[in-house]
Amino acid sequence: MSEKTALERFQGTLADWAASTFTPQTILGKIEIPADEYEVMDTVFRRFTELTDCVERLDLCLQFIKAPLPRRKGLKADDYLMYHITFYIQEIYILNERFDAYAKSVLRLRKKRVGLDGVDQKKLESLLKRIREALAPIVGTRGSHVHSRAFRDEEMRELSSVAFLAVHKSEDPVWMELTRQLYPLIRSSWVKRLSANREAIAQLLNEYCEIMHAIVVGGSPSLLPNNSSKPTPLRGAA
């Protein structure tokens, strides 16, 4: 059995705490949560799930990109591919923001609740800087394609041209045949680029979770309260 990653350990810690502290009714807002516990749940638990949601959407984008092109009349191959690449780039931009925002919000809460003794803020800031630098090329791509024209490399422009003709000159099969030849090659190139990016994110995320785990559960008392919002059973209940 392989050893758990820092991400898995931190997710497990938060899941164990949330499951032992809250009920489905409190999570869904049907039972009021004490303000101090709500603050911890929102800052430490919910905001982390928002961060990992971004990562899961990156994986979903990669799955769509790796999959064969759907056969649908009027679907341009370059549009299908660019849609998922653009979504991936957008999620990288959001992830970059959430890495920074989550760390800062947890630090503020820890300072407020239990103090920052034992917290290596320089190590955290150094990692956040490395994350920003690692994601900067893709974040920059997002900014350029949002404010000007869609980001396309030379290969994608070639695919765009033949895909346009495959749709609008469908009576000539040469364009569809050329599209079918180009699409797997260009898709493979993008899968290689984005997979390398995803692997880099996985490594950074594990380093990040190792530090955040220490900030959240380290020290005495821990940032996670031991009290529970689960209703106390009535006396005499079975």
Side-chain angles (χ1 to χ4, degrees):
M1 186 176 181
S2 60
E3 184 179 352
K4 288 185 177 180
T5 65
L7 168 61
E8 290 170 335
R9 289 194 299 271
F10 191 41
Q11 284 178 319
T13 296
L14 294 182
D16 288 344
W17 172 77
S20 66
T21 304
F22 303 105
T23 66
Q25 289 76 21
T26 55
I27 293 289
L28 296 174
K30 295 180 179 179
I31 296 178
E32 187 175 352
I33 303 172
D36 61 332
E37 289 193 357
Y38 178 84
E39 185 178 34
V40 175
M41 184 178 75
D42 185 60
T43 301
V44 179
F45 176 72
R46 280 185 174 161
R47 293 192 183 191
F48 184 73
T49 64
E50 290 172 356
L51 188 156
T52 54
D53 283 347
C54 283
V55 177
E56 290 170 4
R57 286 193 290 268
L58 293 179
D59 292 336
L60 185 60
C61 286
L62 270 174
Q63 289 176 23
F64 278 115
I65 293 169
K66 290 177 181 178
L69 178 68
R71 290 182 176 272
R72 198 186 76 189
K73 186 176 180 180
L75 176 65
K76 289 176 68 221
D78 63 313
D79 284 344
Y80 177 83
L81 189 56
M82 278 302 301
Y83 175 84
H84 295 296
I85 292 171
T86 301
F87 196 91
Y88 187 98
I89 292 170
Q90 174 69 13
E91 287 301 319
I92 289 289
Y93 176 83
I94 296 170
L95 180 62
N96 185 57
E97 296 293 312
R98 287 184 177 171
F99 269 127
D100 194 67
Y102 182 71
K104 289 179 178 177
S105 62
V106 170
L107 275 177
R108 283 194 299 269
L109 184 61
R110 164 133 184 176
K111 182 178 180 181
K112 172 184 172 183
R113 292 291 188 90
V114 297
L116 295 175
D117 288 347
V119 174
D120 192 341
Q121 294 187 69
K122 289 185 178 179
K123 184 178 180 180
L124 175 60
E125 185 51 48
S126 175
L127 176 59
L128 290 174
K129 181 180 179 182
R130 284 170 49 215
I131 290 172
R132 288 192 293 268
E133 290 171 350
L135 301 185
I138 290 186
V139 171
T141 295
R142 183 260 185 191
S144 65
H145 93 259
V146 166
H147 298 295
S148 57
R149 63 181 181 174
F151 170 72
R152 292 176 183 266
D153 59 13
E154 192 58 41
E155 288 180 331
M156 191 67 78
R157 293 190 185 98
E158 292 174 0
L159 178 61
S160 176
S161 297
V162 298
F164 178 89
L165 292 169
V167 170
H168 297 286
K169 284 293 181 180
S170 57
E171 67 273 14
D172 188 346
V174 68
W175 300 116
M176 179 56 71
E177 181 59 33
L178 188 53
T179 297
R180 288 173 178 165
Q181 291 174 15
L182 282 176
Y183 184 82
L185 298 175
I186 297 169
R187 180 187 64 190
S188 177
S189 174
W190 274 99
V191 166
K192 185 177 180 180
R193 291 187 226 179
L194 298 182
S195 295
N197 171 263
R198 179 65 184 87
E199 289 174 10
I201 289 172
Q203 181 177 344
L204 291 167
L205 181 58
N206 273 306
E207 292 183 52
Y208 182 85
C209 287
E210 187 173 350
I211 294 175
M212 296 310 301
H213 189 275
I215 293 173
V216 169
V217 305
S220 182
S222 164
L223 184 55
L224 296 181
N226 293 322
N227 54 319
S228 172
S229 292
K230 286 188 174 180
T232 304
L234 295 176
R235 183 173 299 177

